[in-house]
Each structure stands twice: as C-alpha cells, then as structure tokens.
Amino acid sequence: MVIMNIDATDESLKQQALEKRKKLLRIIKEKGCYGANDFVLVRTTDYLSDDNVIRPLCHVPFLVKNNHAIKRVINDLLDEQDHIDFYQEEERFDERQKLITDNYLPYSSQYRSTVHFCINGLVSSHAKGNFDNRHFVIIDHIMFHLTHNDIRSFRVEDTFFYGNVPLSSDAVILIKEQEYDELLMQYPQLQQAKVVLYKGLENDAVNIYLASIGIVSEEIKEHGSLEHECSFYFRQFQKLIKEKYEIDNEPHWLSKEYRQDDEYNLIIWEYYERLFYTYLLKLLNIEESQFSNLLTMLLNIDQSQENRDKLKEIIKNMGLFRFGELVDNFNRQILDSIVNGTFMNNDEIIQSLTGIQK
C-alpha cells in the first residue's frame, strides 16, 4: 500500500527537509539528550521475504564466486595469449577479471550470521561493498527492536543483529517510482506493506522522508557519521542502552560473531571447493588410484606451486572453452537445487559437517 510519494528532484522539498533537520537538532540540543524514539534503522536490499522477516545469509540460499585460486590460474592462462599490465592498463585488467568471474568461476558462498543496518541514514558505499541503487530501502523504528530482537551492537554506520530480524508493523519500504509496478509483480506482499514511492536520488528521498517523521538524518561514513552539534548526545545514548539493554557498540570486525563467522567461512569455502573439484575430476574420468591425491592437491592449492601448476595443467589440457562449459553446468546444477528445494543453506552445511546445531 502506497502511503506517500516523494519527489526528491524538487529543490524546495529538499530545502524544507534541511530546515526541518536544523529545527530537530535544536530541539535535541535543548533537551540535552536523544531518546529511543529519535532513531530508525535503515537498510538497503534487493530482496524481500514474504513474512516481514530479514534473514542473515546463513539462513537463505546465498551464492558468490570467490574461488581466487581458479581466478589466478585462468588469468595466467589468458596472460600467455595477451599479457595485460595492471599498472598500465587498469581498465582492460578490470574487464578481464569480470570476464573470468562471469565465465570461469564456480559458485561458492559466504557465511554471515548477522543482519546489518545504519541509524538515521543511508549506508555509504566503500571499499568493502557497493550499496547504491538497490531496489528497497527499509526503515523501521528502533524502539520495537530493543525488546523484540537480538541487537549485538549499536553504531550509527553499522548496527547489527544476530539471527533473524522480524520487522515491526510500522516498517516502511522506499521504492523508486519507476520500478514499483515491476517489483509489485515480483513481490505481491508489497500490497500489504507500507510503501513510499520516490523519484530522484535515493539519499535525498531518505532524508526527506526522515524529516517528515521527525528524525534527524545522518550522513553515514565508512566508520561513523559526519559530526554535528548533537553527535555527543548520540554517544551518550550508546552508553545508556549498553547499561539498560546490554547492547555493545563495538565494530562488527571486532565482535565474537565476526570471529565465529570467519571460522565457519573456512568450512563453507572448503565444502564448495570439494564439491566443484570432485565434479571436475569425475567428468575428466580420473582413475580411482589418482583421484584422492589429485583432489587433495586441488583443495590445498595455496600451499605449493606444484598444486597450482596441477590445476593449470588440468585446465590447459581440457581447454578454456570446455572448462567454461563445465563451470556453467556445475553452477546451473546449484541453481536448480534452489528451485527444487534440495539446496542446503550455510547453517545446514555447518550442521551436516560438524554436527553443530545452528
């Protein structure tokens, strides 16, 4: 259900939002504190569940192409035909890396048990991720989540939860006006959601909406937000909820959740590598007497030049075209397993390999 339309190309509307923000800052300064009602969670995403719950990557089918060993070997093979100097031909080098990723890398995954939001502003893209122009911006008041969900850290640039995050009934979804009809066909649950349509820049639309509901917008940076006259009161609120709700404010990369996820990532990466290399060797009709040794070499490819040379020899002998076809077939089988319901998410993989109930 569409509850508001925002024209973020309207300069007068942007100016009104800016004036409202100044007024809200004056009010907070006069009060001398922030309250829980002064904060909203903001998250950009390309996906919506049909039950109003945001799930971490470990609970959903999630695939990436991150086998760097294969990427290096393919790049070396292509370099033998057409050498590209990264320092002199950066654009061509980037094009080649994309070509390799698109055509020669098998699927893998990444373990993540946490769900991340910003406070009162839109996440900024940085070296670790591009978050621009996703389909949806989800905004929800934090008051509901202080008592309903497992918040592990409260930071303006990265507030994160452990496990599933059910949204409140007041959550709002911002969507580009020109994309709404198409997205509505893909996500019919939008008819029951509170939707704000906008045109113009995403960040301007978020700031205008936040001003309309009495929230001071923040300019989010990679490691915090732009300082302003009430930033001190934000830090005071962090201390308050740490005392009241035992919610920390440490960065995600220093958290125990991050460390545990890193340990599980090693298991997940080896699982997918073993899956692919087994598939590769079986299709090549490798003799049983050699199979185990070859598989071990490929699974430990970063431990010696001999192991890397073995993969290079395998790919060279079969040819890049055939290897690309093989990778494509492998990837299609994984996608088919998602469709037919046999795909194991990362928690299920961890449980199957370690016996740890997640």
Side-chain angles (χ1 to χ4, degrees):
M1 174 179 65
V2 178
I3 62 170
M4 184 185 296
N5 291 79
I6 293 175
D7 182 359
T9 66
D10 187 333
E11 293 299 325
S12 64
L13 197 58
K14 288 192 282 187
Q15 186 60 37
Q16 289 172 27
L18 186 61
E19 294 301 321
K20 180 70 178 292
R21 182 178 185 273
K22 292 177 182 177
K23 181 179 178 181
L24 292 168
L25 282 170
R26 287 196 298 270
I27 293 172
I28 290 169
K29 193 171 183 180
E30 288 170 5
K31 287 193 305 181
C33 66
Y34 272 110
N37 288 324
D38 294 315
F39 298 112
V40 292
L41 299 162
V42 182
R43 176 180 172 84
T44 64
T45 180
D46 278 328
Y47 307 98
L48 289 181
S49 70
D50 56 7
D51 58 359
N52 216 34
V53 175
I54 300 176
R55 291 175 173 79
L57 297 181
C58 64
H59 290 174
V60 299
F62 178 71
L63 299 170
V64 292
K65 294 181 175 181
N66 60 2
N67 191 310
H68 300 297
I70 293 178
K71 195 168 193 174
R72 285 195 299 272
V73 168
I74 298 292
N75 188 67
D76 288 347
L77 288 171
L78 291 174
D79 238 16
E80 291 177 3
Q81 306 166 22
D82 177 22
H83 176 69
I84 297 177
D85 186 336
F86 168 76
Y87 298 101
Q88 300 294 326
E89 303 174 280
E90 188 173 345
E91 187 174 334
R92 279 189 71 212
F93 181 85
D94 290 342
E95 289 173 357
R96 173 173 287 178
Q97 300 314 297
K98 184 178 185 308
L99 180 144
I100 294 172
T101 299
D102 290 346
N103 297 283
Y104 300 109
L105 293 193
Y107 278 132
S108 181
S109 190
Q110 190 84 9
Y111 193 94
R112 176 65 69 83
S113 63
T114 51
V115 175
H116 297 248
F117 298 82
C118 289
I119 299 295
N120 291 6
L122 200 62
V123 64
S124 61
S125 293
H126 47 73
K128 295 181 181 178
N130 187 314
F131 307 98
D132 295 337
N133 297 313
R134 294 186 173 180
H135 292 318
F136 310 107
V137 179
I138 298 172
I139 298 178
D140 200 8
H141 281 277
I142 200 167
M143 194 67 190
F144 169 84
H145 298 275
L146 288 173
T147 54
H148 287 78
N149 293 304
D150 192 357
I151 306 176
R152 295 295 173 95
S153 184
F154 181 82
R155 295 175 64 85
V156 65
E157 84 284 8
D158 188 13
T159 291
F160 67 89
F161 295 68
Y162 181 77
N164 294 343
V165 182
L167 297 170
S168 79
S169 58
D170 293 322
V172 168
I173 304 173
L174 272 67
I175 301 174
K176 297 182 185 70
E177 188 178 277
Q178 67 269 27
E179 294 183 0
Y180 179 63
D181 289 340
E182 184 177 344
L183 289 170
L184 185 59
M185 293 178 65
Q186 188 176 353
Y187 299 96
Q189 64 267 37
L190 286 171
Q191 293 179 328
Q192 280 70 52
K194 294 179 178 177
V195 173
V196 173
L197 299 183
Y198 72 91
K199 56 183 177 180
L201 296 179
E202 184 180 53
N203 195 61
D204 290 338
V206 169
N207 290 343
I208 291 169
Y209 176 74
L210 293 182
S212 76
I213 61 172
I215 297 293
V216 173
S217 59
E218 298 283 349
E219 186 175 340
I220 307 295
K221 303 295 185 182
E222 184 175 353
H223 300 294
S225 63
L226 193 66
E227 285 283 311
H228 54 69
E229 57 193 291
C230 293
S231 295
F232 169 76
Y233 301 123
F234 180 90
R235 290 186 281 273
Q236 278 191 322
F237 185 80
Q238 283 181 308
K239 293 178 182 178
L240 175 67
I241 65 167
K242 186 171 184 178
E243 294 169 1
K244 186 173 181 179
Y245 297 101
E246 298 183 345
I247 296 172
D248 214 324
N249 54 38
E250 65 180 359
H252 178 239
W253 62 275
L254 289 176
S255 68
K256 63 180 182 181
E257 292 81 15
Y258 185 93
R259 292 191 297 273
Q260 180 66 80
D261 287 359
D262 259 6
E263 291 178 18
Y264 287 149
N265 265 327
L266 297 176
I267 298 173
I268 293 296
W269 294 339
E270 182 177 335
Y271 168 84
Y272 275 96
E273 287 172 6
R274 183 179 295 273
L275 207 62
F276 174 72
Y277 290 133
T278 299
Y279 178 81
L280 170 65
L281 296 178
K282 284 183 176 179
L283 284 183
L284 293 179
N285 296 315
I286 300 297
E287 292 181 11
E288 191 173 337
S289 59
Q290 299 178 336
F291 194 97
S292 180
N293 286 339
L294 270 176
L295 181 59
T296 300
M297 288 182 74
L298 294 175
L299 289 173
N300 295 280
I301 202 164
D302 289 324
Q303 293 185 9
S304 74
Q305 185 62 47
E306 181 186 2
N307 293 356
R308 290 190 288 276
D309 288 343
K310 176 53 67 175
L311 176 61
K312 188 174 183 178
E313 178 189 335
I314 289 172
I315 296 175
K316 201 168 188 175
N317 286 340
M318 67 188 302
L320 279 174
F321 181 78
R322 187 183 171 204
F323 181 76
E325 284 188 322
L326 185 147
V327 168
D328 187 54
N329 288 334
F330 174 82
N331 288 344
R332 262 194 268 119
Q333 287 185 20
I334 291 183
L335 293 175
D336 288 345
S337 74
I338 296 175
V339 174
N340 63 35
T342 60
F343 180 89
M344 286 200 298
N345 66 41
N346 286 342
D347 269 351
E348 292 168 335
I349 292 170
I350 293 296
Q351 184 180 345
S352 71
L353 296 176
T354 67
I356 297 173
Q357 181 70 49
K358 296 296 296 168

